[in-house]
């Protein structure tokens, strides 16, 4: 757990120093190795237990940038539960269960902006704060008290560019985190605040169904051991193989992936050192959210478990004119990626490569060759993820 609400990750200067030392020595951060039973990826009963735990966990719902203006709303199915977020006239973001209080029709489909939330089925109308405002032909419901039939809200908190929600189910135990812990673990004093709050312009959203267990998709982001082998022509030309900084804070972690242009800093006074365009920070916010900083943008990725071998991956990409400009300038004297390709095309190809590997793992797990999946000391952020999951499942 993070002590007294403060995150214990190193500042940018310290990260640069540690990266340069690793480059010099040909080393990488190492932590605990981990063996995860293969059955934990394949067994429906294990998945059901995980889903129960996830519904008892606070989580990131959306980046604030997904609903910048009053009336903006967006739906998402979190841990199998249909929800939506809407920004009120008071600019507060609220999260509701996505069901009309008449006959449970899902009120919000996709993303949009409106002055009120009107159910398409029979026209029940809700204010942006969730209150039921109008029932057509209300005389047909003589016993209905409108003041008790507003939308059902999930407690949430918006800090540092993220909307974080309370557990969806009550777990009846005090040993698992509640919303105050959610605030501490996911938002309070967060080191990504600078990046995320300023990257307020949403430029891209995509939701893709993957036939994979959600944990394989999380693991995809948490190590740099595969950079040369998987990303030979995409990321490897501009990055290092198996060279990353791994930090954990509470149930979360941050992995730093440096770009080769970081070595130019050796010749420069430390007072001029910055990380912009010289590394990627990948934050894993337990259980299922990734925040990644890229040269000209920030990505928030939500990995939603749907079934034991089925997940929905939603990617939100944000930027600012300032970030884009900084990336352009960095590109003049440093090329973090190869082939003169645009950053976005390299990122796209890299993501395709990652998904090919994850699909291959999903297939291979069923081969019966392995009793467990082996994670090395240089893949310790993955071990941390599984250890936290295991510890919390034991508390259920
Ligand atoms: S289900 Fe929404 S108005 Fe009938
Ligand atoms: Fe990768």
């Amino acid at each position: 757990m993070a002590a007294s609400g403060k995150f214990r990750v190193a500042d940018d200067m310290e990260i640069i120093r540690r990266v340069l030392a690793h480059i010099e020595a040909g080393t990488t951060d190492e932590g605990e190795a981990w063996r995860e039973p293969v059955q934990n990826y394949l067994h429906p009963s294990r998945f059901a237990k995980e889903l129960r735990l996830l519904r008892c966990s606070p989580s990131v719902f959306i980046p604030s940038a997904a609903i910048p203006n009053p009336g903006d709303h967006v739906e998402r199915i979190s841990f199998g539960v249909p929800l939506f977020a809407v920004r009120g006239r008071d600019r507060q973001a609220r999260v509701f269960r996505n069901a009309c209080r008449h006959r449970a029709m899902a009120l919000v489909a996709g993303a949009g902006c409106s002055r009120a939330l009107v159910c398409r089925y029979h026209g029940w109308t809700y204010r942006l704060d969730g209150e039921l405002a109008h029932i057509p032909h209300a005389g047909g419901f003589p016993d209905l008290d409108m003041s008790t039939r507003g939308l059902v809200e999930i407690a949430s908190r918006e800090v540092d560019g993220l909307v974080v929600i309370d557990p969806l189910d009550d777990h009846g135990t005090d040993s698992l985190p509640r919303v105050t812990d959610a605030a501490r673990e996911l938002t309070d004093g967060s080191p990504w605040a600078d990046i995320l709050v300023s990257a307020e312009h949403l430029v891209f959203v995509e939701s893709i169904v993957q036939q994979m267990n959600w944990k394989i998709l999380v693991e995809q982001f948490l190590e740099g051991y595969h950079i040369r082998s998987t990303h030979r022509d995409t990321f490897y030309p501009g990055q290092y193989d198996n060279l990353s900084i791994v930090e954990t804070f509470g149930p979360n972690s941050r992995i730093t992936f440096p770009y080769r242009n970081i070595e130019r800093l050796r010749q420069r006074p430390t007072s001029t050192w910055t990380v912009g365009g010289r590394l990627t920070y990948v934050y894993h916010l337990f259980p299922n959210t990734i925040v990644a900083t890229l040269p000209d943008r920030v990505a928030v990725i939500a990995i939603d478990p749907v079934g034991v071998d089925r997940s929905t991956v939603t990617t939100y990409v944000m930027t600012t004119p300032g970030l884009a400009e900084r990336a352009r300038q960095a590109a003049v004297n440093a090329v973090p990626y190869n082939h003169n390709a645009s950053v976005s095309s390299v990122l796209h190809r890299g993501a395709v490569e990652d998904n090919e590997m994850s699909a291959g793992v999903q297939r291979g797990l069923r081969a019966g060759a392995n009793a467990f999946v082996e994670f090395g000391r240089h893949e310790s952020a993955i071990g941390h993820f599984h250890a936290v999951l295991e510890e919390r499942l034991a508390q259920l």
Side-chain angles (χ1 to χ4, degrees), residues 220 223 226-227 230-231 235 350 354:
Q220 196 185 83
E223 45 86 5
H226 70 285
I227 298 287
T230 300
H231 301 302
F235 298 153
D354 281 325

Side-chain angles (χ1 to χ4, degrees), residues 100 102-105 119 121-124:
C100 177
H102 177 217
R103 278 165 54 189
M105 165 90 176
C119 182
Y121 204 169
H122 313 90
W124 284 31

